[in-house]
Amino acid sequence: MKILLGSGGVGTDERKAMYQSLMSENFSDCDKVAFVPYASDDHDGYTQRMSEFSGLEGDFVGIHEYEDPVSALGEVDGIYVGGGNTWLLVRELHERGLVGPIKEAVMSRGIPYAGVSAGANVACPTMQTTNDMPITMVPSYETLGLVPFQINPHYYPGGIWFREEEDGGFLKHFGETRSRRVSEFHRIRDEPVIGLYEGSYLRQNGEFFELLGNKAALMRKGEETVTVSPGTLLAGNLTTA
Protein backbone atom coordinates (compact mmCIF):
# COMPACT_ATOMS: atom_id res chain seq x y z
CA MET A 1 0.00 0.00 0.00
CA LYS A 2 0.98 3.62 -0.50
CA ILE A 3 -0.31 5.73 2.38
CA LEU A 4 0.49 9.28 3.56
CA LEU A 5 -1.09 10.56 6.79
CA GLY A 6 -0.56 14.05 8.20
CA SER A 7 -1.55 16.16 11.18
CA GLY A 8 -1.98 19.48 9.42
CA GLY A 9 -0.50 22.76 10.59
CA VAL A 10 0.81 23.76 7.16
CA GLY A 11 1.32 27.33 8.31
CA THR A 12 4.75 28.25 6.95
CA ASP A 13 6.30 28.28 3.49
CA GLU A 14 8.66 25.49 4.53
CA ARG A 15 5.81 23.27 5.73
CA LYS A 16 3.75 24.01 2.63
CA ALA A 17 6.67 22.99 0.41
CA MET A 18 7.08 19.74 2.33
CA TYR A 19 3.36 19.01 2.17
CA GLN A 20 3.24 19.55 -1.59
CA SER A 21 6.39 17.47 -2.13
CA LEU A 22 5.01 14.54 -0.12
CA MET A 23 1.64 14.74 -1.84
CA SER A 24 3.24 14.79 -5.27
CA GLU A 25 5.38 11.80 -4.37
CA ASN A 26 2.42 9.88 -2.94
CA PHE A 27 0.34 10.41 -6.07
CA SER A 28 3.21 10.38 -8.58
CA ASP A 29 1.72 7.53 -10.62
CA CYS A 30 -1.85 8.87 -10.58
CA ASP A 31 -3.61 10.57 -13.47
CA LYS A 32 -6.84 11.24 -11.56
CA VAL A 33 -7.14 11.78 -7.80
CA ALA A 34 -10.52 11.72 -6.07
CA PHE A 35 -10.79 14.30 -3.29
CA VAL A 36 -13.20 13.46 -0.46
CA PRO A 37 -14.50 16.80 0.90
CA TYR A 38 -17.07 15.48 3.37
CA ALA A 39 -15.32 16.87 6.48
CA SER A 40 -16.69 20.24 5.31
CA ASP A 41 -20.22 21.20 4.30
CA ASP A 42 -18.91 23.31 1.38
CA HIS A 43 -17.95 20.48 -0.95
CA ASP A 44 -17.38 22.56 -4.09
CA GLY A 45 -15.43 25.33 -2.40
CA TYR A 46 -13.30 22.94 -0.38
CA THR A 47 -12.42 20.87 -3.44
CA GLN A 48 -11.44 23.97 -5.39
CA ARG A 49 -9.22 25.27 -2.57
CA MET A 50 -7.45 21.96 -2.14
CA SER A 51 -7.00 21.51 -5.88
CA GLU A 52 -4.99 24.73 -5.86
CA PHE A 53 -3.24 24.23 -2.52
CA SER A 54 -2.12 20.64 -3.05
CA GLY A 55 -0.15 21.50 -6.17
CA LEU A 56 -0.97 18.13 -7.72
CA GLU A 57 -0.77 17.70 -11.46
CA GLY A 58 -3.39 15.79 -13.40
CA ASP A 59 -7.10 15.62 -12.69
CA PHE A 60 -8.24 16.50 -9.16
CA VAL A 61 -11.95 15.79 -8.86
CA GLY A 62 -14.35 15.97 -5.94
CA ILE A 63 -15.96 12.61 -5.29
CA HIS A 64 -19.19 14.44 -4.45
CA GLU A 65 -19.48 15.45 -8.10
CA TYR A 66 -20.38 11.87 -9.03
CA GLU A 67 -23.99 10.76 -8.84
CA ASP A 68 -22.69 7.51 -7.37
CA PRO A 69 -19.53 8.21 -5.32
CA VAL A 70 -18.83 4.49 -4.94
CA SER A 71 -18.62 4.03 -8.71
CA ALA A 72 -16.15 6.93 -8.86
CA LEU A 73 -13.59 4.78 -7.07
CA GLY A 74 -13.37 2.62 -10.18
CA GLU A 75 -12.48 5.65 -12.32
CA VAL A 76 -9.65 7.15 -10.22
CA ASP A 77 -6.19 6.01 -9.24
CA GLY A 78 -5.71 8.05 -6.06
CA ILE A 79 -7.80 8.99 -3.00
CA TYR A 80 -7.22 12.09 -0.88
CA VAL A 81 -9.42 12.64 2.21
CA GLY A 82 -9.28 16.19 3.48
CA GLY A 83 -9.40 17.55 7.02
CA GLY A 84 -12.19 19.28 8.84
CA ASN A 85 -14.71 17.83 11.27
CA THR A 86 -14.23 14.09 11.75
CA TRP A 87 -17.79 13.53 12.95
CA LEU A 88 -19.20 15.07 9.79
CA LEU A 89 -16.76 13.12 7.63
CA VAL A 90 -17.53 9.76 9.26
CA ARG A 91 -21.28 10.29 8.99
CA GLU A 92 -21.00 11.03 5.29
CA LEU A 93 -18.66 8.10 4.59
CA HIS A 94 -21.10 5.68 6.23
CA GLU A 95 -24.28 7.16 4.76
CA ARG A 96 -22.79 7.20 1.26
CA GLY A 97 -21.57 3.60 1.60
CA LEU A 98 -17.92 4.52 1.10
CA VAL A 99 -16.18 2.93 4.09
CA GLY A 100 -15.89 -0.58 2.63
CA PRO A 101 -15.22 0.49 -0.98
CA ILE A 102 -12.42 2.91 -0.02
CA LYS A 103 -10.81 0.27 2.19
CA GLU A 104 -11.00 -2.28 -0.64
CA ALA A 105 -9.58 0.19 -3.18
CA VAL A 106 -6.56 0.94 -1.00
CA MET A 107 -5.86 -2.44 0.57
CA SER A 108 -6.79 -4.78 -2.28
CA ARG A 109 -6.24 -2.70 -5.40
CA GLY A 110 -3.28 -0.68 -4.10
CA ILE A 111 -4.72 2.76 -4.83
CA PRO A 112 -2.59 5.43 -3.08
CA TYR A 113 -4.28 7.17 -0.13
CA ALA A 114 -3.54 10.46 1.58
CA GLY A 115 -5.35 11.87 4.59
CA VAL A 116 -4.68 14.99 6.64
CA SER A 117 -6.19 15.71 10.07
CA ALA A 118 -9.71 14.19 9.87
CA GLY A 119 -8.53 12.30 6.79
CA ALA A 120 -5.80 10.74 8.94
CA ASN A 121 -8.27 9.97 11.72
CA VAL A 122 -10.47 7.92 9.41
CA ALA A 123 -7.53 5.82 8.18
CA CYS A 124 -7.52 4.24 11.65
CA PRO A 125 -9.78 1.45 12.99
CA THR A 126 -12.00 3.97 14.82
CA MET A 127 -12.59 7.72 14.89
CA GLN A 128 -12.43 7.77 18.71
CA THR A 129 -9.10 9.60 18.99
CA THR A 130 -10.33 12.71 17.17
CA ASN A 131 -10.22 16.11 18.88
CA ASP A 132 -13.29 17.38 17.04
CA MET A 133 -16.58 18.41 18.55
CA PRO A 134 -19.49 16.01 17.92
CA ILE A 135 -21.50 18.38 15.75
CA THR A 136 -23.53 15.50 14.30
CA MET A 137 -24.32 11.87 15.07
CA VAL A 138 -22.52 9.02 13.33
CA PRO A 139 -23.94 5.60 12.43
CA SER A 140 -20.77 3.96 13.76
CA TYR A 141 -17.39 4.91 15.18
CA GLU A 142 -15.82 2.39 12.80
CA THR A 143 -13.60 3.89 10.12
CA LEU A 144 -11.38 2.61 7.30
CA GLY A 145 -8.82 0.57 9.24
CA LEU A 146 -6.06 1.14 6.69
CA VAL A 147 -3.55 1.18 9.56
CA PRO A 148 -3.73 -0.93 12.75
CA PHE A 149 -3.05 1.96 15.14
CA GLN A 150 -4.83 5.18 16.12
CA ILE A 151 -3.81 8.76 15.29
CA ASN A 152 -4.37 11.88 17.35
CA PRO A 153 -3.71 14.80 14.98
CA HIS A 154 -2.69 18.27 16.18
CA TYR A 155 -1.03 16.74 19.23
CA TYR A 156 0.68 18.86 21.86
CA PRO A 157 2.13 17.71 25.20
CA GLY A 158 0.52 20.31 27.48
CA GLY A 159 2.03 23.39 29.06
CA ILE A 160 0.08 25.68 26.72
CA TRP A 161 0.26 29.45 27.22
CA PHE A 162 -2.29 31.80 25.69
CA ARG A 163 -3.34 35.46 25.47
CA GLU A 164 -6.88 36.59 26.23
CA GLU A 165 -6.14 39.82 24.35
CA GLU A 166 -3.69 40.46 21.52
CA ASP A 167 -1.63 42.95 23.49
CA GLY A 168 -2.02 41.15 26.81
CA GLY A 169 0.40 38.95 28.69
CA PHE A 170 0.58 35.18 28.44
CA LEU A 171 -1.46 33.01 30.80
CA LYS A 172 -0.96 29.33 31.53
CA HIS A 173 -3.66 26.92 30.41
CA PHE A 174 -4.33 24.30 33.08
CA GLY A 175 -6.66 22.08 31.04
CA GLU A 176 -6.28 18.37 30.42
CA THR A 177 -3.46 17.22 28.19
CA ARG A 178 -3.97 15.15 25.05
CA SER A 179 -2.18 12.20 26.65
CA ARG A 180 -4.74 12.31 29.47
CA ARG A 181 -7.54 12.18 26.90
CA VAL A 182 -5.87 9.27 25.14
CA SER A 183 -5.59 7.43 28.46
CA GLU A 184 -9.39 7.66 28.63
CA PHE A 185 -9.58 6.03 25.18
CA HIS A 186 -7.34 3.25 26.48
CA ARG A 187 -9.86 2.43 29.20
CA ILE A 188 -12.09 0.92 26.52
CA ARG A 189 -9.76 0.03 23.63
CA ASP A 190 -6.26 -1.37 23.27
CA GLU A 191 -4.92 0.10 20.00
CA PRO A 192 -1.69 2.12 20.40
CA VAL A 193 -2.01 5.82 19.56
CA ILE A 194 0.43 8.14 17.84
CA GLY A 195 0.03 11.84 18.56
CA LEU A 196 1.20 13.75 15.50
CA TYR A 197 2.60 17.20 16.22
CA GLU A 198 1.69 19.91 13.71
CA GLY A 199 3.63 19.54 10.47
CA SER A 200 4.28 15.82 10.96
CA TYR A 201 3.49 12.96 8.58
CA LEU A 202 3.53 9.19 8.50
CA ARG A 203 4.57 7.71 5.17
CA GLN A 204 4.32 4.00 4.58
CA ASN A 205 7.76 2.61 3.82
CA GLY A 206 7.37 -1.09 3.04
CA GLU A 207 6.18 -2.81 6.21
CA PHE A 208 7.06 0.24 8.31
CA PHE A 209 5.78 3.82 8.69
CA GLU A 210 8.33 6.63 8.48
CA LEU A 211 7.81 9.74 10.61
CA LEU A 212 8.56 12.94 8.70
CA GLY A 213 8.45 16.68 9.31
CA ASN A 214 8.04 16.89 13.08
CA LYS A 215 8.10 14.72 16.18
CA ALA A 216 5.34 12.50 17.52
CA ALA A 217 4.19 10.97 20.82
CA LEU A 218 3.66 7.21 21.14
CA MET A 219 1.01 6.21 23.65
CA ARG A 220 0.34 2.59 24.57
CA LYS A 221 -2.15 1.32 27.10
CA GLY A 222 -0.64 1.25 30.59
CA GLU A 223 2.71 2.67 29.48
CA GLU A 224 4.45 6.05 29.66
CA THR A 225 4.29 8.32 26.62
CA VAL A 226 7.40 8.16 24.41
CA THR A 227 8.42 10.99 22.07
CA VAL A 228 10.12 10.11 18.77
CA SER A 229 11.88 12.30 16.22
CA PRO A 230 11.51 12.68 12.45
CA GLY A 231 13.17 9.83 10.59
CA THR A 232 11.94 7.18 13.04
CA LEU A 233 10.60 3.99 11.47
CA LEU A 234 7.59 2.49 13.23
CA ALA A 235 5.99 -0.92 12.96
CA GLY A 236 2.22 -1.36 12.86
CA ASN A 237 2.14 -1.72 16.65
CA LEU A 238 4.05 1.60 16.94
CA THR A 239 7.26 0.02 18.17
CA THR A 240 10.43 1.43 16.65
CA ALA A 241 12.14 -0.57 13.93
Side-chain angles (χ1 to χ4, degrees):
M1 294 188 293
K2 198 172 185 181
I3 295 176
L4 177 69
L5 305 172
S7 180
V10 188
T12 66
D13 289 341
E14 182 181 13
R15 286 186 176 181
K16 181 179 178 180
M18 182 175 192
Y19 158 81
Q20 291 181 336
S21 175
L22 289 173
M23 290 288 290
S24 294
E25 179 184 340
N26 195 65
F27 294 120
S28 60
D29 297 326
C30 301
D31 294 321
K32 179 182 281 189
V33 174
F35 180 66
V36 180
Y38 297 137
S40 167
D41 55 10
D42 178 12
H43 300 159
D44 289 334
Y46 190 18
T47 301
Q48 180 61 37
R49 291 194 302 275
M50 294 310 299
S51 175
E52 297 169 358
F53 188 78
S54 67
L56 291 175
E57 299 179 359
D59 289 340
F60 188 93
V61 57
I63 200 169
H64 68 287
E65 298 174 25
Y66 290 81
E67 184 174 344
D68 177 11
V70 174
S71 68
L73 297 176
E75 302 179 22
V76 302
D77 40 23
I79 300 171
Y80 178 17
V81 181
N85 187 277
T86 306
W87 293 80
L88 184 58
L89 173 59
V90 172
R91 187 195 73 186
E92 294 293 309
L93 290 176
H94 278 286
E95 291 185 349
R96 297 172 189 270
L98 283 165
V99 173
I102 290 178
K103 183 173 183 176
E104 190 275 336
V106 177
M107 299 190 76
S108 298
R109 293 164 48 205
I111 288 183
Y113 178 97
V116 174
S117 188
N121 272 138
V122 298
C124 304
T126 173
M127 63 170 286
Q128 289 168 277
T129 49
T130 180
N131 304 310
D132 297 333
M133 289 188 176
I135 62 172
T136 187
M137 294 296 291
V138 294
S140 169
Y141 293 137
E142 178 187 359
T143 42
L144 301 172
L146 304 179
V147 297
F149 49 82
Q150 289 294 125
I151 293 174
N152 178 239
H154 314 294
Y155 180 84
Y156 58 86
I160 299 298
W161 294 76
F162 69 97
R163 282 175 168 170
E164 288 189 328
E165 300 177 3
E166 280 222 15
D167 57 352
F170 283 98
L171 303 173
K172 189 172 183 178
H173 175 63
F174 293 98
E176 292 183 353
T177 62
R178 291 283 167 79
S179 59
R180 171 70 180 275
R181 290 292 176 87
V182 171
S183 73
E184 295 171 351
F185 166 80
H186 278 148
R187 293 177 189 172
I188 60 170
R189 295 190 66 124
D190 297 331
E191 291 93 343
V193 181
I194 181 167
L196 294 179
Y197 282 68
E198 296 291 52
S200 62
Y201 299 86
L202 285 175
R203 177 176 63 188
Q204 187 168 22
N205 186 348
E207 61 182 304
F208 296 104
F209 295 87
E210 183 180 8
L211 178 65
L212 301 166
N214 202 352
K215 57 190 175 182
L218 307 181
M219 293 163 280
R220 298 184 187 84
K221 188 170 185 174
E223 300 182 18
E224 294 293 323
T225 299
V226 175
T227 301
V228 291
S229 301
T232 301
L233 292 179
L234 298 166
N237 62 358
L238 295 185
T239 57
T240 54

